[in-house]
Each structure stands twice: as structure tokens, then as C-alpha cells.
Amino acid sequence: MQERYDPAAVEAQAQAFWTSERAFSVSEESDRPKFYSLCMFPYPSGRLHMGHVRNYTIGDVITRFMRMQGHNVLQPMGWDAFGLPAENAAIANGVPPAKWTYDNIAYMKGQLQSLGFALDWEREFATCQPAYYRWNQWMFLRMLERGIAYKKTGTVNWDPIDQTVLANEQVIDGRGWRTGALVEKREIPMYYLRITDYAPDLLQSLDQLPGWPERVRTMQANWIGRSEGVRLGFPYELQGEQQLLNVFTTRADTIMGVTFCAVAAEHPLATFAAASNPQLAAFIEECKRGSAMEADLAVMEKKGLATGLSVTHPLSGEQIPVWVGNYVLMTYGDGAVMGVPAHDERDYEFALKYGLPIKPVIRHAKGDEVPAPWQPEYGAHGVCINSGQLDGMDYQQAVEAVAAQLKARNLGDKQVHWRLRDWGISRQRYWGCPIPLIHCPQCGDVPVPDQDLPVVLPEGLTPDGSGNPLTKTQAFYECTCPKCGAAARRETDTMDTFVDSSWYFARFACPDNDDAMVDARADYWMPVDQYIGGIEHAILHLLYSRFWTRVMRDLGLLTVKEPFSNLLTQGMVLNDIYSRKGSDGRTQYFNPAEVEVQLDAKGTRVGKLVADGRPVEWEGMRTMSKSKNNGVDPAMLVEQYGADSVRLFMMFKSPPEDTLEWSDDGVEGAARFMRRLWRMVHEQVTGDAPAAGRVAAGALDQAALSSQQRDVRRAAHATVVKVTGDIGRRRVFNTAIAAVMELMNTLAKFDDSSAQGRAVRREAIELIVQMLAPIVPHACHVLWHALGHDDALMDHAWPVADPDALRQDNVEIVVQVNGKLRGRISIAADASDEQIRAAALADDGVSKWIEGKAVRKVIIVKGKLVSIVV
RNA sequence: GCCGGUGUGGCGGAACUGGUAGACGCGCCGGAUUCAAAAUCCGGUUCUGGCAACAGAGUGUGGGUUCGAUUCCCUCCACCGGCACCA
């Protein structure tokens, strides 16, 4: 074996072996249990970033570990290839999105291969290929047939200068990113998927996903947002007809405290009132300004204007004024709310601001009145007052009574309300999957017949920033009606890219099937046993995938309804941000690689740009991004240190779910570890060679081991237990690596060249190489052969600790006096409580703290500690 | 604003079920090796006092439960992710 560790040579050798063996191509024919390991597929943005490297290394470690544990492991890879950045690149460079995307894929694939991931490349596909997205279209048509897909109007961000729809990301401080124009809300027709039909099951089934992080399940549950309440109508007369203003409330017990109703600006009642009220019309216009983003709406100043209309209180018969409120969302419930200022903070502020009456109807902890300022107690549940028949009832009784009365009058009833909204999938954009519909002047919206699928997206177009080029491409939109044959217009909207990513995991089972979306192979591989991706996907992508999988199950396409059994949400990769304000007031960002950093006397970080020696400001650490110029190119690192060092650093730096702070020193440290590992094996192998003139490792004879040899052997086998649990059960890798490092430190101090000593050392080294194989597979592959093994390490069985090696005669127990550590005792592992107690009280360090005091209590925790209370 | 999370030495982190706070690594300091450097090896490294033994303090803030709290509960602060058209 080579004396010096040469990562480039080692990695080329290992990768060549894996490629020639087709080592990671798997099939369903196996007597091993299946394990489907999947990382969220990347958007081909240009180059791999460190977030990808982290994600795929975690997946690869699990993949290789499960394989060594005897599973038939599938780990595929593909490309989430439709999306906005390709259009932005087209606008900037004049290159068609298709070319840009395919070029990026080719480059990034090379990067992935250089990192040695155990991927089955024979299943690769990109979502922008017609062979894939035709099944999006096919599914959409099935959903249309079943009423799961439907059409309604929705709100979008509109740039009035470019005359184009903007993504939320393209709205910056309420203005269009290119034009700087104030963004407006606009209502346009769109297609929706009825995810709300699945809301109850999507919520309930969260309990059956123990392999998901608690926080993700909580976030999804809150997002779905089940609330029980009452939906009720406030009657009013409009142009001689009886109408109802419907609202939903979770506080029907406060119904007698209603002093106004508020409707959204888009509500029909507001539109009607505005027709004869110019001031109101102007206010509604004002409400339409600004973006459609919820975060923006939530921090807006709450404003309102009376419509001049009133509705009748359904129980008291009182006249209730109707207001338009900019904080009422048309998308939530019926787009109207009942205002109970005394017991709702938002209504309270609104009433104070506009001088509306505040009528307390609940007795709260501070009394019956609700003087300003607002107190949290006002919003609490309590006993009804000033509410006629409801007086004296508690929350539950009052809600029941109100619901019963409303029902009797046919004005309302109890209802379960969901926060979740249907999924709008229409995008007024080019680089996406065409929605397979044809608009016929006679027949209306006509689905494209199955035999005409796929509706192929023309790949040569280049967007220019002023809307969707498909709307200007006759060859695409001109068509004939499949029903009547008349000239018709093809739908030019494309699908949300979340559609593409909602079922790709099932397609990986059978990417070559041109006749069906999925086949029996999906039943073999699904569900995904381990899914890994960024925490930023905790809600949307994962919820849409759960929904889509349910629809596929209902159509008989899949047998499972939950796509991902176990989920690992990895944290972000951060790096320092350095900037300098230019004379024109613009901030310029410098890559940390170009900055020299020192600490001044106070320990504050001072950066200097290497190029000009002038200072730059440190802005803290944030996710690596182009805009902050703080990315690190994995390709350069692999070249400099080798893939194994990069992988090791990524896994060692932070636990997978936490953010990872980049540091150059850390990679250096990982490289140092690799050299140390290499040297350790090299020394063992050369030492064991007969020609070396040293005592070779003999056959390990447990009975012949000295106590120190036994200690080292115990440490090695305890490490196996630790590492197996950390990778297999806890899915934390930093502590697994730390445990191996500790074992290596132990071996470094173990100076024993006897035959048994060398045998103990060899056993430990072989265990180390096996345990590190999932993390640094190239080096371990080569080292395994160097240690004299013929088999490929990736298929070698994962080591199991020897129980005899783990056995321990004496244990150390710590002794606390009044909660403070005062001594340590070494005692037989099978000592009785009485013996432990006696030994603890007799300990020198302990006795001086209990002298002359009465021992009140002695608590013994077996094998760990004694706590004495005096 | 709402939902979820995080906060521990100079730094990243460890402590898995309420039981030894700081494993492991980085950085730094000292030493060995070397003509020298790189590389490598050995030792030290939470803070305060002390030559030391040792003592005290200490896990964002303030409080609580407990023999015992980084861990559980409440309050506040700071930061991060998401908020439905970035993916």
C-alpha cells in the first residue's frame, strides 16, 4: 500500500470500481429487505452548493450503512428542472431555459459523481422531459374528471408596467423587481386542486408518522388548522332579495357582543356598496394595492371604512353596521368576520380606532368591564353576561345553545373550519408543464384527450420579462377543439413546479415505463423509507406530496397513502458575509475566500480584502447565496482536499438537523484526520508483514489478554455500539465520528507490540475502517483491501460488538453531597445498594462534607451515582 | 403579525430517559523533530482566586418544580426557517 494518502488516486480507484461493477444499480429481485433512501432532488441552478453536498452526504451515509446492514437499498437521483430561475437566466443572458437547464444538469451531475455518492444513475430523469411531465398532465385530467381539479379566480401580484404576474420572490418592498412599480393585487381565473377534501386525513395521519420530526408534524397540523366553531348568517336585504352575510367564528359564545361586521375588500357586499359610494370605492382600490403575500398583509396597519350597509343580528335582531376591513382575508373562510371588540384583540383595536361600541359579554379574570388598554384576559373563555338567555353559561354550553338557536332559525350551525386552502397550480409562466386544456368558444374548457398527451412545451423560446412567451407563440396556442373541431386556443398557463416534485419519488421506481405513470415496481419500493431534505420544505412540498400520493392511492396507482416513512430535515449551511458600502450607496459583497480575517484586541472580527488591503465589514453568518456572494464551491474543495475530507467535515461539523457554519479550518482538520487514518492502517499493515522483522499480529486469544489489552478491546467494541446507534437509530453523525476519533486516540496511546497487542490493535483498526465506510467510502474501500480483504467493503456486513469484550468488572460511581460532586468510587459492577452506600459514605472526598451533619437521605442510581442529602 | 425552532468555553459542538457540564474537533499556548519550513508527534487550554491541593461561579434573561435542571414548567430577550407564485 501507498505510504502517503493521495485522495485523488484513492477516489479515482474506488469510483472506477463502483462504476465497473454497476455497484449501485438495484432491482426488485432481491432476497434482502428493501430500503428506499431518497434526498430531495436538486433544482439545477448551475453548480452544486454546500447545502446539496450536505444533503446528499447524509443520504449517502444512511444508504451505505443500510446496505452494510443487509438491505437492498435504492438511492436514485434526478432533477427538479422546471422553474423560475431558468427564466431569469434567459432574461439575463438570452439563452433559452431548456439549454441553460440541460447544461446545468450535465455540470452538476459531474459534481455529484466526483463526491462518490452511491446513486443508481440508471434511473435518472428530469421533470422537464415530456416522458415525465406527460404524467402530470394525465393525472391532472383524472383529477378534473373527479372534481379534484377545478377552476376559480385567485389573487396574484400584478406589475402594472411590465403587465405581468409576479412571483412573491419578485416583489421587493411592495414593488416589482424589474420595474420598481408598486405592485397590485389582481383576480384571474386559475386551476385549483381540492387538497381541502383531504384535510381531515392529512391531519389525522400525522399521528401515524412517528418517523417524522415532531416540529414538522406540528407545523403541518397548524398549517392544516382544524378549528371547531359556528358558521352563521347575518340576514340583509339587497335589491329586494333576502341575503345572508356568512361568517365563521370559534367564539359563538360572544355572539351577543357583536357590534359590527367586517368584510374583505373583494367581498361582493363591498363591491355592491362601492358602486354608489366613491369614497368606499377609493378605499377598496387602496386595499388592492400592495402584494398578495400573507406576511405583508399581517403587518399592515389595520384600516377600515363603513359601507353604509347594515345586516341583522341573527339572534337579537339588532342592526349591525358592515365595514370593509383591510385585515379581512377573502381567502380565509367566507371573507367576512363578526366583530366582537370586547373579546377579540384585533376587533378591539379596530373599534377603538373607529369609535365603534364595545360590549362586554364574558366575565373575565379582571371583572366584567374591558377598559383600555387591551388585556389578554379579555380574550379568555368565561361565563356569559349581558347575553339574555346565555347568561351564566360557560363556553361550551353557550356555543351549543347558540348553534341550536341558529339552526332552528336556519341561520347557522356548528361547523369544522380548516385553515388549509385549495392548491392553486396555474402559473402564467413559460418554463413549466403545460396544463392540458383547450379553450373552445363553443364548448368551453375542453380537456386534451389522453391520446394527445403529452402537450409538449416548445423548448426554443426565450422569455424577455414581459410575460409568458407561450401567449405569443401561435404554433403552440392555436389548435382545434377536440370536441367540435372548431378553431380553439390552447391553455398557456403552466403548472406550479410543486406538482413535479409531488410524485417524482414514485417515478424513480419505474422511470422507463412509457405506458403508465407507475407500475408494480412502485409497490415494491414505496414508501420512501428515509427522506432527507431542507427544513424549509417542512410544509408545502411535504404536504403536497402527501396529498398527491393519496390521490394516486385513490386512483389505484399506489398502495400507500404516506410517501415518506421517515423524514430527516437537515439544517442550512451558513457562511460569513463581508461587505463594503460603495460611494454610490450600494453594498458590495465579497466572498470570504477573498477576505483575510484577524481578531483585534477586543476579540472583534476585522476583515481585510486581500486584493486592496482595505477593511470590509462582517455582517454575520447567513445561508450561502449568490446575492451575498458567500458561497463555497464544492468542486474546488474536492480538488484540493478530496471528496472524503469534504464529506467527513460536513458530517462532523454539526448534527444534521442544525445549521452548519462553514469554516476552512474545519476542512483542513478533516483532511488531517484522513491522513492520520491512512497512516494508522499503513503502520499496522507494514508492521504485520513478516519481512518487517517485528512481531506480527497473532490470532486474537481472549483468554490471554492483559487487563490493558482488554480495556482497549472493550473501547473498540463499545465504539461499535455507539456508532451503530448514532448512525442507525439517532441519525447523528458528528458524535459517531467523535467516538471513532476517541478510539483512535486510545489506540495511539496503546503502545504494545506483543502478538496479542498487535492483534487487539488490528481488530480495532478493522472495525474503524468498517465504521467509517459510509462516511468516507473511497479511502475505506482502499484501506480494506490494504488490510488484506478481498471483498468490497460496501457489501461487507456491518460489525456487531462482541458481548464478551464489553463486559466490565468494576464501575466508577460519582458521589454527590447536596447536589455537588464530591467524590468518585470504584466498585464491583454487581455491588448491592448497601455496599454502594457504605463505600460512598466512607469515601475520603465525601466524608469531610458530611462530617458532623445528619445524613437525611441517600439516593442511589445504579451504575451511575450516589446522591447524599445532609 | 402568525406557526415552528435555536441559544452551552475564543469557535463548531457533546451530555440519547432529570443524574459527573464542556466528549470530539477547530483555534490558541508550550514542547519535540528539522539547517529551516511544511507535515507529524506530545502536553496544556470554561472563568475567578490560589504555587498547589482545592474552593467558588457557570449552559441567552428572570423566576419555579426537584436531593439533583443544559434537560421539565412560566416570563422576557436575541437569532433562524416558513407564511401558500423561490425551490
Side-chain angles (χ1 to χ4, degrees):
Chain A
M1 106 181 250
Q2 281 256 332
E3 186 176 353
R4 230 187 90 250
Y5 171 54
D6 176 0
V10 164
E11 285 166 19
Q13 187 189 334
Q15 287 176 16
F17 174 79
W18 296 329
T19 305
S20 70
E21 294 285 306
R22 291 179 61 230
F24 309 118
S25 298
V26 291
S27 77
E28 301 71 43
E29 285 110 54
S30 170
D31 44 12
R32 307 168 139 214
K34 73 100 182 176
F35 190 89
Y36 185 0
S37 169
L38 182 68
C39 294
M40 292 181 185
F41 63 165
Y43 178 79
S45 55
R47 314 187 133 233
L48 232 49
H49 56 68
M50 280 299 161
H52 292 129
V53 176
R54 189 180 194 195
N55 194 166
Y56 303 139
T57 304
I58 295 169
D60 202 47
V61 172
I62 294 172
T63 295
R64 289 173 179 273
F65 173 80
M66 292 308 291
R67 182 169 174 140
M68 289 178 79
Q69 289 230 318
H71 290 79
N72 182 31
V73 188
L74 167 62
Q75 183 178 230
M77 182 52 71
W79 308 94
D80 188 14
F82 276 136
L84 198 56
E87 296 198 16
N88 294 341
I91 295 167
N93 310 319
V95 187
K99 178 171 169 33
W100 184 84
T101 302
Y102 286 116
D103 286 353
N104 289 347
I105 287 175
Y107 182 79
M108 290 169 76
K109 183 174 178 179
Q111 286 190 298
L112 285 175
Q113 287 170 327
S114 77
L115 281 153
F117 297 133
L119 294 163
D120 183 352
W121 283 108
E122 294 173 22
R123 296 167 187 265
E124 177 191 10
F125 63 81
T127 57
C128 61
Q129 294 162 335
Y132 179 77
Y133 68 67
R134 69 174 296 180
W135 301 109
N136 286 354
Q137 297 172 343
W138 183 83
M139 266 294 276
F140 176 82
L141 295 175
R142 302 291 82 77
M143 292 191 190
L144 209 55
E145 287 162 4
R146 285 161 179 77
I148 298 171
Y150 67 100
K151 191 180 192 178
K152 73 168 180 183
T153 59
T155 312
V156 293
N157 302 307
W158 180 255
D159 185 321
I161 294 182
D162 264 353
Q163 293 283 300
T164 189
V165 175
L166 296 177
N168 284 340
E169 189 189 49
Q170 298 171 317
V171 179
I172 296 154
D173 297 330
R175 293 172 182 274
W177 64 319
R178 282 158 55 81
T179 64
L182 281 169
V183 168
E184 300 167 5
K185 295 182 197 72
R186 182 167 275 217
E187 305 281 313
I188 57 168
M190 305 208 288
Y191 288 92
Y192 283 82
L193 303 183
R194 239 181 257 285
I195 190 172
T196 51
D197 277 2
Y198 288 80
D201 188 45
L202 288 168
L203 180 66
Q204 264 167 25
S205 304
L206 288 171
D207 292 340
Q208 291 142 40
L209 289 172
W212 281 40
E214 184 73 42
R215 59 174 164 166
V216 175
R217 285 186 283 157
T218 306
M219 278 191 262
Q220 291 220 348
N222 290 336
W223 184 264
I224 296 167
R226 182 183 195 274
S227 52
E228 287 181 12
V230 173
R231 185 167 182 255
L232 62 147
F234 289 72
Y236 62 97
E237 198 170 290
L238 189 63
Q239 296 164 317
E241 274 189 55
Q242 276 298 314
Q243 306 267 354
L244 283 181
L245 175 65
N246 287 311
V247 303
F248 173 83
T249 178
T250 55
R251 291 303 302 271
D253 59 319
T254 64
I255 192 167
M256 301 313 286
V258 173
T259 59
F260 68 96
C261 284
V263 299
E266 300 86 0
H267 196 279
L269 206 54
T271 313
F272 171 77
S276 55
N277 182 341
Q279 201 195 346
L280 184 64
F283 178 68
I284 290 173
E285 273 313 302
E286 191 191 321
C287 291
K288 284 182 182 167
R289 256 179 251 142
S291 82
M293 280 179 270
E294 180 152 332
D296 288 349
L297 298 170
V299 293
M300 266 182 341
E301 190 195 349
K302 283 158 200 66
K303 287 187 185 171
L305 194 68
T307 60
L309 304 174
S310 58
V311 292
T312 307
H313 191 288
L315 297 187
S316 73
E318 264 180 286
Q319 286 300 294
I320 305 290
V322 178
W323 285 60
V324 174
N326 67 350
Y327 65 95
V328 183
L329 303 180
M330 196 61 212
T331 46
Y332 191 83
D334 295 288
V337 296
M338 64 180 212
V340 185
H343 304 293
D344 179 278
E345 185 171 8
R346 208 167 43 176
D347 296 344
Y348 192 83
E349 279 171 29
F350 195 81
L352 283 185
K353 184 166 182 175
Y354 294 107
L356 292 160
I358 298 173
K359 184 186 169 196
V361 291
I362 300 290
R363 176 162 298 145
H364 57 85
K366 294 197 173 170
D368 289 358
E369 299 302 317
V370 291
W374 170 264
Q375 306 290 319
E377 288 81 5
Y378 301 170
H381 288 179
V383 172
C384 292
I385 54 171
N386 306 326
S387 298
Q389 300 171 358
L390 303 177
D391 283 354
M393 293 186 185
D394 67 15
Y395 173 80
Q396 204 57 48
Q397 294 166 328
V399 169
E400 295 293 336
V402 168
Q405 287 184 40
L406 289 169
K407 194 171 183 181
R409 296 173 194 206
N410 220 11
L411 290 175
D413 202 351
K414 284 202 284 189
Q415 198 188 47
V416 172
H417 183 262
W418 303 88
R419 205 188 77 97
L420 182 67
R421 308 199 298 259
D422 278 340
W423 174 14
I425 59 156
S426 296
R427 296 290 180 272
Q428 298 67 47
R429 260 184 267 293
Y430 158 57
W431 191 235
C433 167
I435 295 176
L437 279 168
I438 288 168
H439 303 292
C440 170
Q442 274 83 47
C443 312
D445 294 356
V446 182
V448 173
D450 281 0
Q451 66 268 21
D452 295 344
L453 296 182
V455 176
V456 175
L457 184 74
E459 289 200 346
L461 307 184
T462 307
D464 59 6
S466 64
N468 178 355
L470 290 176
T471 61
K472 300 163 207 158
T473 306
Q474 272 190 15
F476 180 77
Y477 67 71
E478 273 187 1
C479 61
T480 52
C481 173
K483 250 191 199 164
C484 70
R489 189 179 167 98
R490 190 179 297 286
E491 171 68 52
T492 53
D493 279 1
T494 53
M495 292 185 198
D496 180 4
T497 56
F498 275 124
V499 171
D500 308 323
S501 56
S502 287
W503 69 281
Y504 74 104
F505 40 85
R507 184 69 181 176
F508 274 134
C510 47
D512 54 357
N513 192 330
D514 288 331
D515 303 316
M517 187 175 186
V518 287
D519 58 38
R521 289 173 289 173
D523 294 334
Y524 174 81
W525 288 112
M526 288 295 291
V528 173
D529 295 284
Q530 180 67 63
Y531 196 38
I532 305 150
I535 180 66
E536 68 273 18
H537 295 291
I539 296 176
L540 292 178
H541 162 60
L542 291 170
L543 193 60
Y544 290 147
S545 298
R546 296 180 64 220
F547 158 67
W548 195 281
T549 303
R550 279 166 169 73
V551 178
M552 287 182 76
R553 191 264 326 252
D554 290 350
L555 290 169
L557 298 165
L558 292 175
T559 53
V560 297
K561 70 174 183 180
E562 288 295 347
F564 316 119
S565 304
N566 294 286
L567 175 69
L568 193 155
T569 48
Q570 126 232 1
M572 309 257 167
V573 181
L574 314 182
N575 201 1
D576 296 306
I577 299 172
Y578 293 100
S579 67
R580 191 188 280 166
K581 268 247 162 37
S583 48
D584 56 353
R586 286 175 63 150
T587 307
Q588 198 184 350
Y589 290 95
F590 300 98
N591 194 280
E594 306 163 17
V595 176
E596 195 189 357
V597 184
Q598 283 175 334
L599 297 183
D600 69 8
K602 286 181 213 151
T604 15
R605 185 186 299 243
V606 179
K608 271 195 308 191
L609 191 64
V610 173
D612 61 11
R614 289 174 42 228
V616 288
E617 200 171 322
W618 182 65
E619 287 190 11
M621 294 193 110
R622 243 174 245 276
T623 321
M624 290 187 181
S625 71
K626 271 187 191 150
S627 64
K628 301 287 183 200
N629 190 11
N630 64 339
V632 174
D633 187 358
M636 280 171 57
L637 287 168
V638 170
E639 202 177 307
Q640 195 178 345
Y641 298 101
D644 281 338
S645 290
V646 174
R647 295 169 57 120
L648 178 71
F649 166 69
M650 282 284 180
M651 293 298 94
F652 180 61
K653 183 74 176 169
S654 305
E657 313 231 4
D658 291 5
T659 53
L660 185 151
E661 297 180 6
W662 184 259
S663 86
D664 292 329
D665 290 336
V667 199
E668 199 69 63
R672 184 152 50 228
F673 175 87
M674 292 306 299
R675 288 193 292 267
R676 205 175 161 205
L677 173 70
W678 190 272
R679 204 166 48 242
M680 175 177 259
V681 174
H682 182 260
E683 279 168 13
Q684 182 72 24
V685 169
T686 48
D688 282 348
R694 293 161 69 178
V695 183
L700 193 72
D701 177 7
Q702 283 206 62
L705 297 183
S706 71
S707 120
Q708 200 205 4
Q709 289 165 347
R710 267 209 312 274
D711 285 348
V712 171
R713 188 158 190 264
R714 183 186 316 117
H717 285 263
T719 305
V720 171
V721 173
K722 167 79 177 154
V723 171
T724 306
D726 280 357
I727 299 181
R729 174 177 54 90
R730 299 171 66 204
R731 302 265 192 255
V732 287
F733 313 104
N734 55 330
T735 50
I737 295 165
V740 172
M741 287 174 170
E742 234 178 313
L743 177 57
M744 281 174 59
N745 291 342
T746 302
L747 288 182
K749 292 191 182 84
F750 177 56
D751 188 18
D752 183 344
S753 55
S754 70
Q756 282 304 307
R758 296 197 60 81
V760 166
R761 176 187 295 276
R762 168 171 271 271
E763 184 194 27
I765 288 175
E766 295 204 346
L767 289 173
I768 287 170
V769 170
Q770 290 175 69
M771 287 189 283
L772 289 175
I775 297 165
V776 288
H778 306 89
C780 290
H781 171 85
V782 173
L783 291 174
W784 188 243
H785 290 319
L787 282 162
H789 297 275
D790 294 331
D791 61 331
L793 184 53
M794 64 180 184
D795 284 319
H796 191 85
W798 185 257
V800 178
D802 176 1
D804 286 339
L806 294 173
R807 195 165 300 134
Q808 218 172 344
D809 300 332
N810 280 292
V811 289
E812 186 182 79
I813 289 179
V814 296
V815 186
Q816 294 180 342
V817 179
N818 283 352
K820 283 201 181 289
L821 179 67
R822 298 301 185 189
R824 294 162 194 277
I825 53 172
S826 180
I827 196 159
D830 55 0
S832 69
D833 280 6
E834 213 29 67
Q835 287 170 312
I836 293 172
R837 181 193 161 103
L841 290 170
D843 185 75
D844 283 350
V846 174
S847 53
K848 70 175 182 187
W849 291 97
I850 56 176
E851 231 162 62
K853 292 171 183 151
V855 174
R856 270 182 31 217
K857 204 168 166 188
V858 177
I859 297 150
I860 295 169
V861 182
K862 264 269 185 306
K864 274 201 176 149
L865 126 168
V866 179
S867 181
I868 301 167
V869 188
V870 296

